[in-house]
Amino acid sequence: MTVAFAQRTESLRPEGAYQVLARAQELEARGKDIIHLEIGEPDCPTPTKFGHAAARAIAEGKTHYNPSAGIRELRALIADDAGRRRGLSFRAEQVVVSPGAKPNLFFPALALVNPGEEVVYPDPGFPPYEAMIRVTGAVARPVALLESNGFSIDRDDLARLVNARTRLIILNSPGNPTGGVIPQADLEFVAELAQRHDCWVLSDEIYSRITFDGHAVPTIAALPGMTERTIVLDGFSKTYAMTGWRLGYGIMPVPLAERVSLLLNHGIGCTAHFTQLAGVEALSGPQDAVDSMVAEFQARRDRIVEGLNRLPGVRCLKPQGAFYVFPNIEATGLSCESFADRMLEGGVALLPGTAFGEHGKGHVRLAFTNSGANIDRALQRMQAVLSSL
Ligand SMILES: Cc1ncc(COP(=O)(O)O)c(C=O)c1O
């Protein structure tokens, strides 16, 4: 039977990482050894204390419905922690807790953007941005991130794109897939445009704790006049190695938080109570596990950037945050798709840049969420593939 799907879902495709993972697993099932550099999640375990906190909560019966926006204790802790780290002062009422960060991308967009209005989002960028924009019925307007300016927003492109129909601008810093950080001056440029055209900004700061060389990552929310038109998106997935727990949050002006909570109420219900108590444990305890994870990522970043720059035809910038590198592979003579295919055949799973949008072409993404020893082995395999071309 052919199903007549609603038009709003017609352009949906699975995220590239899931597709490559499935192909890699097929090869593994046939006995091939694959080094996984396609997956965007920390490879370290969730600290055991968080699991104990959740287990205690389950034993105490914290297994029922709870407020859609999250339990008061966690919202207050998030407001305090997120505010302190950004030099801002947030109230608990501004925080909406969600199962993972993703609902706090989709629901604010649903709450703010009418069908036919425009949303600007980074390209290359996290694939759900475009997918969710299209599902809301809005017009998706990609803004180029260029290697030539450290993968920050291309200002000329942005100025050309933002107009009276623009309702929302999505930023992501440090960024997936590039690891680029948007400098203060570019944020000021975006803020001026957003205020002039009266649009909202969704600032995806999920990698804000994973930054290198002591670089502070500025947030647009801290610029004058911006807190009242900004949604800060963050969560526990990356910072605390809790991707499978599904715990994230958005911080936004109270009226929007109330509207987003209503969407959560009807669309999801609430976030598991015991998961939120694991989040309370994460925020209130010592942060040394985060610090050592970030130190390990920095060492791996140095190793992979150095190794990639030694490969023929490969050129790689040093990312300032997140756990991805986005090297330029144009000089190998391969498209990014066939580069990724050949590497998979050679035993290394990575993603073509076009999995993140048109402007990703000529690049591939490698996640250094694998051990230093495996990164070295992956680089050797890549060298072998490139030498055999
Ligand atoms: C840029 C970016 N934003 C948001 C998310 C979603 O995070 P979560 O798994 O908490 O929904 C991810 C996850 O890969 C991401 O890379």
Side-chain angles (χ1 to χ4, degrees), residues 60-201:
E60 287 164 10
K62 306 271 172 42
T63 52
H64 295 276
Y65 292 136
N66 67 89
S68 296
I71 57 170
R72 180 83 202 170
E73 185 186 6
L74 182 60
R75 293 174 80 193
L77 272 173
I78 290 170
D80 187 53
D81 181 77
R84 191 168 32 78
R85 292 185 189 284
R86 291 168 176 81
L88 291 167
S89 155
F90 293 128
R91 288 188 288 134
E93 293 75 19
Q94 291 178 260
V95 177
V96 180
V97 176
S98 53
K102 279 178 175 172
N104 258 306
L105 166 65
F106 187 33
F107 290 148
L110 264 185
L112 290 171
V113 186
N114 284 305
E117 291 179 332
E118 300 184 5
V119 180
V120 175
Y121 67 100
D123 177 355
F126 184 46
Y129 300 146
E130 185 186 352
M132 293 300 96
I133 295 164
R134 290 185 187 281
V135 169
T136 65
V139 180
R141 295 272 185 231
V143 58
L145 306 186
L146 303 179
E147 183 186 8
S148 54
N149 66 352
F151 296 116
S152 182
I153 297 270
D154 179 4
R155 290 193 199 184
D156 295 337
D157 202 23
L158 187 69
R160 197 175 48 76
L161 282 173
V162 176
N163 63 60
R165 292 180 303 279
T166 311
R167 186 75 173 128
L168 177 66
I169 300 171
I170 300 178
L171 302 178
N172 176 212
S173 178
N176 174 10
T178 68
V181 165
I182 305 177
Q184 179 82 8
D186 287 356
L187 293 179
E188 284 165 10
F189 186 83
V190 179
E192 193 279 320
L193 273 178
Q195 291 180 25
R196 180 146 45 95
H197 294 277
D198 192 21
C199 41
W200 284 80
V201 173

Side-chain angles (χ1 to χ4, degrees), residues 21 32 45 83 116 135 180-182 207 212-213 248 252 277 300 339 348 359 365:
L21 176 63
K32 189 164 178 70
V135 169
V181 165
I182 305 177
Y207 296 102
F212 308 130
D213 310 317
M252 61 202 87
L277 289 171
R300 290 182 194 171
F339 186 99
V348 181
H359 289 283
R365 188 192 83 171

